[in-house]
Amino acid sequence: MNTTHNFRQGRFYLLTVDILKGIAIFPMIFSHSVGWWDQNLSKSYDSLGSFTIIIIWFTGLMAFPCFLFLYGFNQVNSFLRKKRDNVSPNDIRSHAIKRSTIFFLFASLALAIMSIIQAPEKIFNYLLTWHLLHLFAFSTLFLLILWELTSYFEKKLGPSWSFQQVYTILLLVSFFLVITLFIFFHDYTVARENSRLFPVTLEIQVIFENVLLDVSSCGLIPWLSFPLAGGITASLFNLPLFSKSNILQKSKLLLFVNSLFLIIGILFLRVERFISAGLGYASTFPHVFISIGFIGVIFVILILTLDLFQNIPQKTSFRLFYPIIVVSKISLTVYLVHPVVAIFNPTFIPSESVLLLLISLYSLFFIILAHFWKKWDFKYSFEWIVRKYS
């Protein structure tokens, strides 16, 4: 089978994307459950926790970066495919804006529900507090803005520069700008840890600081770097025009750069902990650099092995990873609903082993739910709503 022809016909289903989304769900559930069971243990997981707890939190803190990386990859991949297929710019723009709006509305709804449960009198404080879903909304718009700028510069630069080349450059510039700002504001952000506010106060400075810096929950600096890293990967691969002649060269470059980020992050572990907003702290250098590097390396290896060259037949891979793939279809739905267990008092769980057993069963529940829900195309899930209304 000619691989280039296969992709040019529009078959853009990638096993790697679903596998990584599905895998990320489980450390997210496990880490949040450990935090519900013993918050003090979680905050000091690297010094007080068992080896299992350390692994849970180390992988759990990379779950959201993984979701964002894959989201950026999918969004840029979609832009490039639609550009190849000569889809109307207005349709591309409309789809992205609708998708962003849905994420924004869901973020507002989630915060409104939290306010009703915890402090109804502070509903405006909650609605103005930055949330992970806000980051998905902003990422969509930011990648769209870069797409618009690419169209503008492509006309100015002439035929010597392709759309994909210009888009890649803008993504790279944006990524390194976010990383530079992260390094510049790092000391200030860490110093603000002890004054973290949730929800925010109704002060302009506090609200904007909450959005821009990692002082509460997934601020643009540095969390925007994750979808940008995914977008850069998609733009470099340029799968709508995929050919084997240059994919290995680009893969080697991506593996080298991501390995460099991974090594830098590991070296920083000598001076900083691997912590982030998931534990109530500002993101550290190890968290950002290790997450970018590790996710990037794993992604490139899997997409080459399972999707582009299919060293393992795709049907075999699908059967092998089916439980992970099927639950990946409702990954953000699981993110929104899995904290419902927090209504229970965790004191009834006597030990870590019992906790891990219960979390395993809870994870299995979502796999079974996804398996049966797929018969109705996951109707009314968050993902179904995004597809239907964008």
Side-chain angles (χ1 to χ4, degrees), residues 92-241:
I92 295 173
R93 195 176 296 119
S94 174
H95 177 75
I97 291 173
K98 287 177 181 177
R99 177 176 288 259
S100 177
T101 301
I102 291 170
F103 275 112
F104 178 82
L105 291 175
F106 263 86
S108 299
L109 177 62
L111 290 164
I113 292 172
M114 290 176 66
S115 173
I116 292 169
I117 294 172
Q118 298 175 359
E121 72 280 3
K122 293 186 176 181
I123 188 165
F124 290 110
N125 303 70
Y126 276 84
L127 290 176
L128 292 172
T129 300
W130 189 248
H131 187 275
L132 178 69
L133 291 180
H134 285 131
L135 188 58
F136 279 97
F138 184 88
S139 298
T140 309
L141 291 179
F142 191 82
L143 293 172
L144 175 64
I145 290 170
L146 294 184
W147 175 81
E148 300 276 12
L149 288 173
T150 301
S151 299
Y152 171 79
F153 285 122
E154 184 189 25
K155 294 175 184 176
K156 294 290 182 181
L157 293 171
S160 58
W161 290 83
S162 70
F163 182 90
Q164 178 265 339
Q165 288 173 325
V166 178
Y167 199 21
T168 301
I169 290 171
L170 290 178
L171 287 165
L172 283 167
V173 170
S174 301
F175 174 79
F176 284 108
L177 177 61
V178 172
I179 293 296
T180 300
L181 290 172
F182 169 57
I183 295 170
F184 180 79
F185 284 107
H186 183 62
D187 289 342
Y188 174 79
T189 307
V190 171
R192 294 277 284 107
E193 274 182 356
N194 295 328
S195 57
R196 294 166 69 85
L197 297 171
F198 188 91
V200 296
T201 59
L202 300 179
E203 302 174 51
I204 296 297
Q205 179 180 339
V206 173
I207 293 170
F208 275 99
E209 199 173 67
N210 180 255
V211 171
L212 295 173
L213 301 178
D214 201 21
V215 296
S216 180
S217 178
C218 306
L220 292 175
I221 302 169
W223 287 79
L224 186 59
S225 64
F226 302 123
L228 285 171
I232 291 167
T233 303
S235 191
L236 280 174
F237 274 147
N238 196 17
L239 293 182
L241 298 176

Side-chain angles (χ1 to χ4, degrees), residues 122-363:
K122 293 186 176 181
I123 188 165
F124 290 110
N125 303 70
Y126 276 84
L127 290 176
L128 292 172
T129 300
W130 189 248
H131 187 275
L132 178 69
L133 291 180
H134 285 131
L135 188 58
F136 279 97
F138 184 88
S139 298
T140 309
L141 291 179
F142 191 82
L143 293 172
L144 175 64
I145 290 170
L146 294 184
W147 175 81
E148 300 276 12
L149 288 173
T150 301
S151 299
Y152 171 79
F153 285 122
E154 184 189 25
K155 294 175 184 176
K156 294 290 182 181
L157 293 171
S160 58
W161 290 83
S162 70
F163 182 90
Q164 178 265 339
Q165 288 173 325
V166 178
Y167 199 21
T168 301
I169 290 171
L170 290 178
L171 287 165
L172 283 167
V173 170
S174 301
F175 174 79
F176 284 108
L177 177 61
V178 172
I179 293 296
T180 300
L181 290 172
F182 169 57
I183 295 170
F184 180 79
F185 284 107
H186 183 62
D187 289 342
Y188 174 79
T189 307
V190 171
R192 294 277 284 107
E193 274 182 356
N194 295 328
S195 57
R196 294 166 69 85
L197 297 171
F198 188 91
V200 296
T201 59
L202 300 179
E203 302 174 51
I204 296 297
Q205 179 180 339
V206 173
I207 293 170
F208 275 99
E209 199 173 67
N210 180 255
V211 171
L212 295 173
L213 301 178
D214 201 21
V215 296
S216 180
S217 178
C218 306
L220 292 175
I221 302 169
W223 287 79
L224 186 59
S225 64
F226 302 123
L228 285 171
I232 291 167
T233 303
S235 191
L236 280 174
F237 274 147
N238 196 17
L239 293 182
L241 298 176
F242 164 74
S243 66
K244 290 183 178 180
S245 60
N246 60 9
I247 200 71
L248 283 176
Q249 184 178 358
K250 292 179 178 180
S251 298
K252 290 175 183 177
L253 174 62
L254 284 168
L255 285 172
F256 172 76
V257 174
N258 283 308
S259 296
L260 191 61
F261 271 94
L262 181 58
I263 291 169
I264 292 171
I266 291 172
L267 291 176
F268 268 113
L269 282 173
R270 295 180 299 176
V271 293
E272 283 192 318
R273 301 171 62 201
F274 188 86
I275 51 177
S276 75
L279 285 170
Y281 297 108
S283 289
T284 57
F285 290 133
H287 178 254
V288 174
F289 291 131
I290 289 176
S291 295
I292 291 172
F294 182 77
I295 294 167
V297 167
I298 295 299
F299 183 85
V300 171
I301 292 172
L302 287 180
I303 202 169
L304 288 176
T305 304
L306 300 180
D307 292 299
L308 303 186
F309 294 98
Q310 296 187 19
N311 300 98
I312 304 172
Q314 197 167 60
K315 287 184 178 179
T316 302
S317 299
F318 188 87
R319 287 196 296 267
L320 181 64
F321 293 104
Y322 174 77
I324 294 172
I325 291 170
V326 73
V327 79
S328 76
K329 301 299 184 180
I330 53 169
S331 55
L332 287 176
T333 303
V334 174
Y335 161 68
L336 287 170
V337 304
H338 82 276
V340 70
V341 296
I343 64 175
F344 300 105
N345 190 326
T347 55
F348 75 92
I349 301 175
S351 65
E352 181 180 311
S353 58
V354 174
L355 173 71
L356 297 178
L357 174 61
L358 291 175
I359 302 173
S360 299
L361 294 173
Y362 193 43
S363 300

